[in-house]
Amino acid sequence: MADLNTDVRFIKGIGEKKALALNKLGVFTLHDLVSFYPRRYEDRSQYRPIALALDGEQVCIQAVVADTPRLTRVRRGLDLVKFKAVDDSGLVNITYFNQSYVKDSFHRGEEFVFFGRMEVKGAHRSMTNPVYEQEGKENGVTGRIMPVYRMSAGLNQRAIVQAVRQGLALCGDQLPDILPDSVRRRCELAPARYACENIHFPADFGALELARRRLIFEELFVLACALGRLRRERVREGGIPIGQADLGEFWRTLPFSPTGAQRRAVEQAVSDLRGGGVMNRLVQGDVGSGKTLVAAALIWYVWKSGYGSAFMAPTEILAEQHFHTLSAMLEPLGLRVGRLTGSMSAKEKRETRALLRDGALDLVIGTHALFSRDVEYANLGLVVTDEQHRFGVEQRSALIGKGGRPHVLVMSATPIPRTLALIIYGDLDVSIIDELPPGRQKVDTFSVDESYRARLNGFIRKLTAEGRQVFVVCPMVEENEELAVPLKSAEEHAKELQAQFPELRVACVHGRMKAKEKDAVMAAFVDREADILVSTTVIEVGVDVPNAALMIVENAERFGLSQLHQLRGRVGRGQHKSWCILISDADSEDVKARLSIMTKTSDGFKISEEDLRLRGPGDFFGSRQHGLPEMHIADLGADANTLQRAQHEAMQLLQEDPELEKEENALLRERVEQLFRENADSFN
Ligand code: ADP
Ligand code: MG
């Protein structure tokens, strides 16, 4: 008796060689086999009378062999078998190339179904190498939607199709339904067996859709349950206790009112702080959405309970900027604010460290120097990290180890579609700031080609004459990259610009410079010691240069939309009208469509959703090296709605049964644990 764990060799027609080929595709057992979903489908379900089939159409025809097949040897290595077939409507000439054995399969007067591409030339109709099956001896390859599988050497479609058919026949009825009944009903999902049969051999397109919906949901649901359990496992007790404070007291000190989204993010974080556990929250908001204020409010909040905070920025210059902003905001309220960066003198550092050890600072701002081994904190309650995507996971956990278990607030300006954020930051709670402070100017954006260069230079001249500064970004060139069209490297381009504008000061930052050198050039630019800053994407992070009014991106086709959006966010931060010019000579319609999205919207979330739709989630995951388990059928980008639903259902289920201990969740639990086992790397 075969069951789901039986080796695929058990299947008739699968010998050693085919079994090894299947193993290469990850198929070892019958369960693997029936879970080996088709890559696509071929529609062989359409029947046509011969005379009505259109030229080029792939159709089935039901026809009678009208003469005796003739074998012709055209030359060595080229055989033809030819015959005619007819139905009530007309006649078709059928030809098989190099399949001389088929000659004996067809006899005059026998009825067949042929599937293939109809060719029509005037009154002449023909089909070449059609798939066929004789009336009364069907083996299920015509008249239906056929699966097409991923292949490896040593296999062919027919072998896989037959193997899967047998697999389903042998143990289709043993397939466990891991979805709890209640979830399946509520979400109107097909039962497991139906889904599995119809994903391989769908009765029709409706059935295929039902099957896909169920299986995609199942995959995402299991992932969501796994991530949900991780989140729960995160220490739920032992968080530093933070008492109640009146946020209104803080808000009233501001020269403006917080936006609704800022208020919401702060309130969500406060409920974490007061919930008894350790906060681990991501605040996601577009550039300029006011994330710093959210951090300030929370720093103030924990200070009211007698705890200090550490604020970590990815670069010295950002640390300096945050130091100025935050001390201006918080010192008047009584907080003692200090800083700790790599470029401070040894003496200054020593002094700051002493203050921290004595609990004489309520907030310290710095780079990762904050978390070097010789820094001790007397009363660290909250750690804020800005622009989190610049930090490795390791750094994050190193800092969490400092002085007990401080609450953690992570801020990121990379807008990721909500649904995806929930998955990517599986172990973080997420707040989204989806509202900009009022009165923001839109950055006018244009997508242009080289022919615009002269006008652009004129524009640079005009703006710089008015005292504004200009960013120019060039793509990073990989060392061994072969390029059809040479790219502008930042250094060369800076030289060209300097030659072009001898009266202006052109500075350059590129990837091969040391962090210190980069920071020095950036700092000089902030201090208006240069008019034009040419760089690779190193300026992507949130440096504030309110005087910059123009962002030029060279070879814009090389950037993702979200990246372009980040770059554009570097301008329009002061009171000056600002522009963003995307230069690309790429002809491709795709590129044009992509860049035109930038000219039409300034909503970072909308842009990231488009980016996701156009490029798939690989970039989001890849660039962050968040190796999520590989999906077999779901597409994290395209199936966002299902993902959201699956997430919601998973949360609800985990609320009722956090450890998945109930009898009805046993199969699900097993599957979740299997996912953990198979992806040990991703989940650590
Ligand atoms: P982010 O870090 O999210 O890119 P910032 O925190 O640097 O944004 O804020 C951008 C600018 O918006 C700052 O100059 C800040 O003072 C201002 N700002 C923040 N919140 C508000 C608000 N609610 N109303 C008006 N201006 C605000
Ligand atoms: Mg910021």
Side-chain angles (χ1 to χ4, degrees):
M1 249 317 279
D3 66 27
L4 288 165
N5 294 318
T6 302
D7 194 289
V8 281
R9 285 171 180 79
F10 184 83
I11 295 229
K12 256 200 299 185
I14 300 294
E16 194 53 29
K17 211 175 123 233
K18 288 206 173 89
L20 286 175
L22 280 170
N23 293 169
K24 278 219 182 78
L25 296 168
V27 175
F28 296 88
T29 64
L30 295 189
H31 193 213
D32 298 335
L33 183 65
V34 298
S35 315
F36 183 64
Y37 304 136
R39 192 162 52 86
R40 60 183 180 86
Y41 298 86
E42 187 169 75
D43 184 4
R44 300 185 185 173
S45 66
Q46 303 299 314
Y47 281 86
R48 292 274 187 284
I50 292 172
L52 295 186
L54 304 174
D55 185 33
E57 200 179 13
Q58 292 219 344
V59 286
C60 290
I61 56 172
Q62 228 163 347
V64 175
V65 176
D67 59 3
T68 302
R70 298 169 308 281
L71 171 67
T72 346
R73 179 144 294 160
V74 181
R75 55 178 153 78
R76 222 180 130 97
L78 181 56
D79 291 337
L80 300 181
V81 174
K82 290 185 163 221
F83 60 93
K84 295 184 196 320
V86 294
D87 69 4
D88 292 344
S89 75
L91 178 150
V92 61
N93 292 283
I94 293 184
T95 306
Y96 287 92
F97 280 90
N98 288 342
Q99 297 176 44
S100 50
Y101 58 88
V102 301
K103 179 174 181 292
D104 299 325
S105 308
F106 301 104
H107 304 98
R108 188 182 186 133
E110 285 173 352
E111 200 176 341
F112 282 84
V113 175
F114 296 97
F115 169 78
R117 188 179 300 280
M118 183 65 83
E119 255 182 83
V120 183
K121 285 209 179 84
H124 187 85
R125 288 165 182 273
S126 58
M127 267 188 181
T128 305
N129 297 341
V131 172
Y132 62 91
E133 48 191 344
Q134 190 171 1
E135 204 71 24
K137 294 185 188 166
E138 292 87 350
N139 53 10
V141 296
T142 66
R144 60 173 315 137
I145 302 165
M146 284 298 288
V148 179
Y149 295 94
R150 214 150 41 84
M151 296 260 276
S152 73
L155 281 173
N156 56 38
Q157 288 298 336
R158 185 199 290 261
I160 303 184
V161 165
Q162 279 170 1
V164 172
R165 268 217 179 93
Q166 283 185 62
L168 281 172
L170 285 169
C171 53
D173 55 348
Q174 299 169 35
L175 275 172
D177 201 326
I178 62 151
L179 288 183
D181 257 0
S182 55
V183 172
R184 204 168 62 67
R185 293 237 161 80
R186 208 166 28 242
C187 301
E188 301 179 326
L189 299 166
R193 179 170 184 186
Y194 176 94
C196 192
E197 283 172 352
N198 281 280
I199 201 72
H200 291 290
F201 304 106
D204 52 45
F205 283 101
L208 177 57
E209 194 41 44
L210 284 177
R212 275 181 52 79
R213 217 164 71 78
R214 144 85 200 209
L215 294 171
I216 289 172
F217 182 94
E218 175 179 319
E219 185 161 49
L220 296 172
F221 182 72
V222 170
L223 178 63
C225 286
L227 292 170
R229 282 191 65 186
L230 277 186
R231 195 176 320 210
R232 283 176 171 273
E233 274 168 28
R234 189 173 86 213
V235 193
R236 262 291 160 210
E237 47 201 56
I240 291 168
I242 303 294
Q244 177 105 46
D246 174 16
L247 274 169
E249 204 182 303
F250 176 77
W251 297 137
R252 280 191 292 277
T253 65
L254 299 174
F256 43 68
S257 352
T259 63
Q262 283 170 322
R263 232 183 245 276
R264 202 167 51 241
V266 171
E267 277 158 15
Q268 286 167 344
V270 161
S271 93
D272 295 347
L273 293 175
R274 304 196 19 74
V278 179
M279 173 169 83
N280 199 15
R281 181 167 287 275
L282 169 76
V283 173
Q284 243 205 345
D286 217 339
V287 261
S289 60
K291 293 183 292 294
T292 319
L293 182 60
V294 171
L298 294 165
I299 291 164
W300 177 85
Y301 202 95
V302 302
W303 171 71
K304 291 294 270 186
S305 280
Y307 288 97
S309 299
F311 188 116
M312 175 160 75
T315 63
E316 297 254 332
I317 178 159
L318 274 169
E320 288 299 328
Q321 287 195 342
H322 282 309
F323 174 68
H324 288 295
T325 320
L326 289 169
S327 35
M329 212 181 292
L330 295 169
E331 273 176 350
L333 302 178
L335 281 81
R336 297 159 297 173
V337 184
R339 71 202 164 105
L340 187 62
T341 62
S343 67
M344 282 162 60
S345 72
K347 178 161 171 282
E348 288 174 309
K349 281 189 217 165
R350 211 164 38 239
E351 283 166 6
T352 305
R353 281 201 301 269
L355 291 173
L356 285 171
R357 198 167 40 240
D358 297 345
L361 286 180
D362 302 306
L363 168 63
V364 63
I365 295 149
T367 52
H368 41 259
L370 286 177
F371 301 99
S372 60
R373 242 180 308 126
D374 50 2
V375 185
E376 280 172 54
Y377 293 87
N379 61 346
L380 188 61
L382 171 68
V383 171
V384 181
T385 77
D386 193 15
E387 308 292 349
Q388 173 265 350
H389 56 293
R390 299 284 155 173
F391 288 111
V393 174
E394 272 165 55
Q395 276 162 311
R396 243 206 289 162
S397 36
L399 99 216
I400 289 167
K402 288 272 170 192
R405 287 198 190 112
H407 299 284
V408 175
L409 183 73
V410 173
M411 304 199 292
S412 170
T414 315
I416 297 170
R418 273 157 224 264
T419 47
L420 214 50
L422 289 171
I423 291 286
I424 292 184
Y425 302 108
D427 63 329
L428 296 171
D429 298 307
V430 182
S431 295
I432 309 243
I433 310 193
D434 51 4
E435 184 184 352
L436 292 182
R440 272 299 145 76
Q441 289 195 33
K442 190 171 150 288
V443 177
D444 280 341
T445 304
F446 300 92
S447 166
V448 303
D449 59 25
E450 271 313 313
S451 68
Y452 194 84
R453 184 69 66 184
R455 283 173 67 189
L456 180 58
N457 286 343
F459 193 47
I460 294 177
R461 224 165 249 126
K462 173 173 172 290
L463 282 178
T464 48
E466 288 167 8
R468 299 290 78 74
Q469 287 163 288
V470 178
F471 281 115
V472 179
V473 174
C474 299
M476 192 94 83
V477 186
E478 300 294 332
E479 292 232 338
N480 44 17
E481 198 176 2
E482 302 253 336
L483 291 169
V485 191
L487 293 178
K488 288 187 186 301
S489 92
E491 286 163 283
E492 284 166 31
H493 191 53
K495 282 197 196 112
E496 282 171 29
L497 282 171
Q498 188 63 78
Q500 183 82 233
F501 303 103
E503 74 284 11
L504 298 179
R505 298 158 302 172
V506 180
C508 179
V509 201
H510 56 79
R512 284 190 305 281
M513 288 163 78
K514 293 211 181 69
K516 265 207 175 116
E517 297 174 291
K518 284 185 212 165
D519 275 353
V521 179
M522 278 306 306
F525 189 66
V526 173
D527 293 341
R528 300 204 195 186
E529 285 165 24
D531 304 291
I532 301 178
L533 179 69
V534 184
S535 71
T536 50
T537 46
V538 288
I539 57 156
E540 214 180 308
V541 233
V543 180
D544 216 3
V545 188
N547 189 48
L550 175 60
M551 165 62 66
I552 299 171
V553 183
E554 300 284 347
N555 294 102
E557 75 281 356
R558 305 269 302 185
F559 296 85
L561 287 183
S562 299
Q563 223 178 350
L564 289 174
H565 179 66
Q566 288 284 307
L567 291 171
R568 174 167 64 185
R570 298 300 107 217
V571 296
R573 295 166 82 89
Q575 75 273 33
H576 310 292
K577 166 83 202 134
S578 300
W579 290 267
C580 175
I581 312 285
L582 307 173
I583 305 180
S584 174
D585 257 359
D587 287 331
S588 118
E589 287 306 313
D590 281 1
V591 170
K592 285 183 186 148
R594 223 147 54 77
L595 295 182
S596 90
I597 291 168
M598 292 300 298
T599 65
K600 288 186 195 116
T601 178
S602 50
D603 177 337
F605 285 100
K606 220 182 258 166
I607 288 171
S608 73
E609 258 150 40
E610 281 296 316
D611 214 11
L612 178 63
R613 201 174 57 74
L614 292 171
R615 301 200 302 171
D619 288 292
F620 288 100
F621 297 129
S623 63
R624 259 164 216 85
Q625 297 178 330
H626 263 275
L628 282 179
E630 187 192 344
M631 296 284 108
H632 295 290
I633 185 165
D635 172 336
L636 291 173
D639 299 320
N641 288 338
T642 313
L643 177 57
Q644 204 154 16
R645 186 75 205 256
Q647 191 102 36
H648 174 78
E649 291 291 339
M651 292 307 157
Q652 202 152 324
L653 186 79
L654 288 174
Q655 201 117 51
E656 293 159 15
D657 185 10
E659 300 298 324
L660 298 175
E661 284 164 334
K662 292 189 185 160
E663 183 57 35
E664 71 258 35
N665 298 329
L667 289 169
L668 175 61
R669 179 192 170 115
E670 211 171 287
R671 184 69 72 84
V672 168
E673 277 161 9
Q674 186 189 345
L675 187 71
F676 280 130
R677 270 197 309 279
E678 288 170 2
N679 296 278
D681 301 346
S682 317
F683 289 117
N684 284 325

